[in-house]
Amino acid sequence: MAVWARQAARCGWLTAAGLLGPGSRGAVPLPALLSAHRLTLWRPHVGGCAEPSRGKGEVCAPRNSLSVVVKEEQAVPETVSDLSAAELCEDWDDVSLSSALKEISEEEAVKIIADPLLPLQSSTLRDYVDHSETLTKLVHLGVDLSQVEKRQKAGQLLLTLDFEKDITKILMFLKDVGIEDNQLGPFLTKNPYILGEDLEALETRVAYLKSKKFGNAEIAQMVSRAPYLLLFSVERLDNRLGFFKNELGLSVKKTKDLVIRFPRLLTGKLEPVKENLQVCQIEFGFQRNEIQQIAFKTPKILTASKKRLRQTFDYLHNIMGIPHNMLTRFPQVFNSKLLRIKERHMFLIFLGRAQYDPTQPRYISLDQLVSLPDEVFCTEIAKASMEDFEKFLKTI
């Protein structure tokens, strides 16, 4: 009676679980049964559940932390063999089920190895690397996850992507664009967001650049120097190119050359550019054609700090007496450190060689003043030894 009752109870559980219906013939393989109720990892996320509708089996982490959701999944049996319900139930008598209350020896306890648990929330991607094939492969590519996780929502993005399904196609696209294998890691460290972009949209943006007569090598150079370039829509790229063409009064060819040499003009904010153009015209007194030449030769001036520009111009123009036409001819001087300009200018004054007028003897160009290494500057321009220059610097 006890055996019959135990078998009936087991069969009742199978029927309730949907694995054996009334009148059904056959048995589900043991692996399918054991996997009927199992825990699987759901989508990692930050700040709430990964799915809009959350079931009872999900656990949501608080906001501002990397987290995973655990959800109970019902497995569907694969096959049913020709066994009766009674035979199926009898088969369970032969299965040895371990009891949680069964005592084990100390030797057996020591041999038990438990897999590390996946943290429900964490402030670093490091805790997920061993559990994520995607993160592991990105590390092998050379991606610096410690830098990626500092970027807003970049860590959450990577945790939701499948390497084979989502990332491989983007890597192939980047290689087609011209990014070398050894550049993929550093590139994705700077711009991990491209891994979440639609492939068709990325291809459309490259096609737009080609339609504007940018060559393959030029596009590769631009994307390498400005990693966020391909995140911009075609409309935004077109507006940026039009802005610099119109504001600087450049031809199409010169506009292309400008953004090829300094592609970050296309990805940076336009407000600093507008402000620097006004500073050059209103405060410094440069003419429009002079600003055009300065910006084309040294585009970094367009995004430089206004404070630094003011200090450098004041020293060059008001202290050293360099006129506007000479500054327009050698605009690279604005990229030099002001301290270096001061030290060398004062040393030349000390030696009586501070002559910046091209019509006078012993003329020294601004390029020679700021671009040469110290040793070359001392021997060829100042006509002095490096030791003399170092002694002079200690007196100022």
Side-chain angles (χ1 to χ4, degrees):
M1 181 64 180
V3 174
W4 178 89
R6 184 169 68 254
Q7 291 176 343
R10 287 172 179 167
C11 292
W13 178 84
L14 292 173
T15 302
L19 299 177
L20 184 64
S24 298
R25 291 180 53 82
V28 180
L30 182 60
L33 290 174
L34 296 180
S35 63
H37 293 269
R38 67 179 187 272
L39 294 178
T40 59
L41 292 180
W42 206 245
R43 292 180 60 192
H45 70 291
V46 166
C49 295
E51 299 295 335
S53 60
R54 175 162 53 93
K56 294 182 179 180
E58 298 181 9
V59 179
C60 290
R63 294 184 179 274
N64 301 324
S65 63
L66 297 173
S67 61
V68 294
V69 176
V70 181
K71 183 175 181 180
E72 185 176 356
E73 179 183 328
Q74 294 289 341
V76 179
E78 296 180 356
T79 61
V80 178
S81 60
D82 295 331
L83 290 176
S84 65
E87 291 171 330
L88 173 62
C89 295
E90 290 174 359
D91 289 342
W92 276 87
D93 290 331
D94 299 328
V95 178
S96 177
L97 298 177
S98 299
S99 171
L101 301 178
K102 180 182 178 181
E103 293 185 4
I104 60 174
S105 66
E106 292 185 3
E107 294 182 356
E108 291 176 322
V110 172
K111 293 179 180 179
I112 296 176
I113 301 177
D115 293 330
L117 295 176
L118 185 64
L120 293 178
Q121 57 182 355
S122 176
S123 60
T124 175
L125 288 173
R126 183 176 61 249
D127 293 336
Y128 295 92
V129 173
D130 292 337
H131 306 275
S132 170
E133 179 187 10
T134 296
L135 294 183
T136 300
K137 289 186 176 181
L138 287 175
V139 170
H140 291 163
L141 275 176
V143 177
D144 188 345
L145 297 182
S146 66
Q147 296 299 315
V148 170
E149 64 190 17
K150 294 178 183 178
R151 305 184 185 279
Q152 187 176 15
K153 297 184 179 180
Q156 296 93 310
L157 170 65
L158 296 187
L159 287 172
T160 62
L161 297 177
D162 178 86
F163 191 89
E164 298 300 331
K165 178 183 176 182
D166 304 315
I167 296 181
T168 301
K169 60 185 179 182
I170 303 297
L171 295 179
M172 298 304 296
F173 165 78
L174 291 174
K175 292 186 67 175
D176 290 341
V177 169
I179 305 298
E180 300 293 337
D181 289 349
N182 60 354
Q183 296 177 331
L184 287 173
F187 179 87
L188 294 176
T189 299
K190 296 175 183 177
N191 179 19
Y193 305 108
I194 198 171
L195 296 176
E197 287 290 301
D198 179 68
L199 180 60
E200 185 176 350
L202 293 174
E203 292 172 339
T204 300
R205 293 160 196 170
V206 172
Y208 166 78
L209 293 175
K210 290 181 178 179
S211 72
K212 293 299 180 179
K213 308 303 180 184
F214 289 95
N216 292 335
E218 294 168 340
I219 294 174
Q221 177 180 317
M222 292 168 65
V223 173
S224 296
R225 293 184 177 181
Y228 285 95
L229 180 64
L230 294 180
L231 297 185
F232 284 63
S233 66
V234 169
E235 293 77 13
R236 195 171 182 183
L237 290 173
D238 192 64
N239 289 337
R240 290 299 177 92
L241 288 172
F243 170 83
F244 289 106
K245 179 180 180 298
N246 297 329
E247 287 294 320
L248 299 176
L250 299 174
S251 64
V252 173
K253 184 178 183 303
K254 283 193 172 183
T255 303
K256 281 177 51 183
D257 184 69
L258 177 71
V259 297
I260 288 172
R261 290 186 291 114
F262 198 59
R264 292 189 180 182
L265 288 176
L266 297 178
T267 61
K269 296 181 180 180
L270 292 181
E271 285 305 314
V273 175
K274 295 177 181 178
E275 292 174 359
N276 283 357
L277 289 174
Q278 291 180 348
V279 167
C280 288
Q281 183 175 3
I282 299 174
E283 296 185 27
F284 298 168
F286 286 105
Q287 300 299 314
R288 179 175 172 81
N289 65 319
E290 292 175 328
I291 296 174
Q292 181 188 96
Q293 294 179 53
I294 290 172
F296 183 73
K297 291 180 181 178
T298 315
K300 281 186 178 181
I301 289 178
L302 297 174
T303 58
S305 163
K306 291 188 296 296
K307 179 180 178 181
R308 179 182 171 185
L309 278 180
R310 291 186 177 111
Q311 291 176 340
T312 303
F313 175 81
D314 179 67
Y315 192 83
L316 290 168
H317 185 65
N318 299 323
I319 304 300
M320 295 175 59
I322 308 298
H324 285 81
N325 67 316
M326 294 300 295
L327 293 174
T328 302
R329 185 178 174 185
F330 300 104
Q332 60 268 31
V333 71
F334 286 102
N335 289 337
S336 302
K337 292 183 179 179
L338 182 56
L339 178 61
R340 187 176 200 177
I341 297 174
K342 288 182 176 180
E343 290 176 345
R344 293 189 175 188
H345 172 63
M346 294 175 68
F347 185 53
L348 291 174
I349 291 178
F350 175 74
L351 298 174
R353 303 184 66 87
Q355 177 54 260
Y356 309 112
D357 186 348
T359 63
Q360 299 297 321
R362 299 190 298 181
Y363 160 69
I364 297 174
S365 71
L366 294 180
D367 183 55
Q368 293 174 321
L369 177 69
V370 300
S371 64
L372 297 176
D374 284 341
E375 292 183 357
V376 178
F377 167 76
C378 290
T379 56
E380 297 186 8
I381 306 302
K383 307 299 181 184
S385 66
M386 187 66 190
E387 183 180 356
D388 293 336
F389 184 48
E390 292 173 348
K391 286 181 179 180
F392 173 78
L393 294 180
K394 293 178 181 179
T395 65
I396 60 176

